[in-house]
Amino acid sequence: MKTEQTECSQKDKSQNKATIGLLGNIKNIGLIGGLVVFLLACNGDEPSPYMATPANLDVPDLFANSILPPQIPNDNPLTVEGIALGKTLFYDPILSANNTQACASCHLPSQAFSDPNPFSVGIDGSLGTRNSMPLFNLAWHDRGPLNWDGSARNLEEQIFEPVTNPIEMANTWPNAVQSLQNSGIYPELFDAAFGTTQIDSVMVSKAIAQFVRTLISGNSKFDRHLLGLEELSQEEARGLNIFLDETRGDCFHCHGNPGNPLWTDNRFHNNGLDAFFEDRGLGAVTGDPRDDGLFRTPSLRNLSFTAPYMHDGRFSTLDEVIDHYSEGLVYSETISPLMKSVADGGVQLTAEEKSDLKAFLLSLSDESFLTNPDYQ
């Protein structure tokens, strides 16, 4: 039987396993508080549960001042060790059946954690059926279903699916967990993050979710403009007015306004892409035909880096997206009532208005997000 001194010594060792230097966007780390808890545990009669080092998100001022705080699950608090483990797993192809594909294979940092291909390629060369959504600011998206079709209730649940999807990583969770268990590094990293060397799929999903929640994009030109640090060009300012004008761009109903730094309502809409639906979207999840053709509204952030666009990557350029809303809307029974100009094919923007709107949309791109060393 282990003595209390031995148990505390082992806990002390596990506390030192954190790779804190990888995570410059985490602040207010409670090292002192963690040491106090540790010492109290060692002096008591009963050993306390293992506690990793607490960590907080570095929330941009615009976010803190305009939207609710990020929603962090009570059963998966952010910790230095958990985030470091999640980052390692995100970039490691060990979770795939043939050790060739990682999360980062379809969510590239250089593309704002999206995929430049319309459909991502699985480990056997098979194509998926949807474009990979970019990963940023998801700490604020857990209030609603995730994925294009709302098939995941939260980020932890979303992470489960690609590992076993036959056209993605094509693995089984028992096999993936065994690979991690047999590795030279992961038992120790899981011990540091969760206080046990016995790995399971729940801890894998929790660790990756912790890392993904740290991916925050909030330093675009428009963000700096709102903070009084940078002026918009005349073209960008005119584009913002078009964006907010119900009779011209009419974009704000689904994507919000300058008071919503997420630039999405995080809801599901049929935006007039098709008259009939091979991909039913939300309807395939709910079974309700009234949801056919509805897909989650993507954020307008980082459009400079996240082409192609729409759930099926059908538009290669932002110009094509603007053309769709201007003169390419298609009627169907479930089309959103927000597509008020569908009878005219769209809002019928002039060439100059299209150029202005594009200039504003590109001002929402955050180049610093691509090069943040904490995410690489």
Side-chain angles (χ1 to χ4, degrees), residues 190-207:
F190 275 87
D191 192 24
F194 297 108
T196 178
T197 59
Q198 297 302 306
I199 301 169
D200 63 32
S201 60
V202 172
M203 288 187 288
V204 173
S205 69
K206 285 185 173 183

Side-chain angles (χ1 to χ4, degrees), residues 60-118:
D61 290 341
L62 282 176
F63 289 46
N65 295 334
S66 57
I67 55 177
L68 294 172
Q71 181 175 329
I72 308 301
N74 292 331
D75 64 348
N76 192 23
L78 296 176
T79 67
V80 172
E81 296 85 353
I83 295 166
L85 170 59
K87 179 178 178 180
T88 303
L89 289 166
F90 187 88
Y91 286 100
D92 195 337
I94 194 172
L95 293 177
S96 63
N98 61 0
N99 291 315
T100 62
Q101 188 174 82
C103 302
S105 300
C106 302
H107 297 281
L108 285 68
S110 61
Q111 307 297 132
F113 291 89
S114 67
D115 193 336
N117 300 304

Side-chain angles (χ1 to χ4, degrees), residues 1-4 6-7:
M1 179 179 292
K2 297 179 182 179
T3 65
E4 289 182 9
T6 301
E7 289 184 352

Side-chain angles (χ1 to χ4, degrees), residues 235-311:
E235 190 178 30
E236 291 164 342
R238 291 195 303 265
L240 172 59
N241 289 333
I242 294 169
F243 182 93
L244 297 173
D245 191 318
E246 289 210 41
T247 61
R248 292 191 293 167
D250 197 21
C251 312
F252 68 95
H253 287 108
C254 298
H255 290 286
N257 55 53
N260 174 14
L262 300 179
W263 293 103
T264 173
D265 63 0
N266 199 31
R267 297 179 180 177
F268 296 82
H269 303 281
N270 173 352
N271 61 338
L273 290 172
D274 300 297
F276 305 97
F277 312 108
E278 292 185 13
D279 186 342
R280 295 178 59 197
L282 181 64
V285 175
T286 65
D288 188 339
R290 293 172 295 182
D291 292 332
D292 286 357
L294 275 64
F295 294 90
R296 188 159 71 91
T297 306
S299 174
L300 295 179
R301 282 189 175 272
N302 297 317
L303 293 176
S304 295
F305 321 117
T306 57
Y309 308 102
M310 303 298 166
H311 68 278

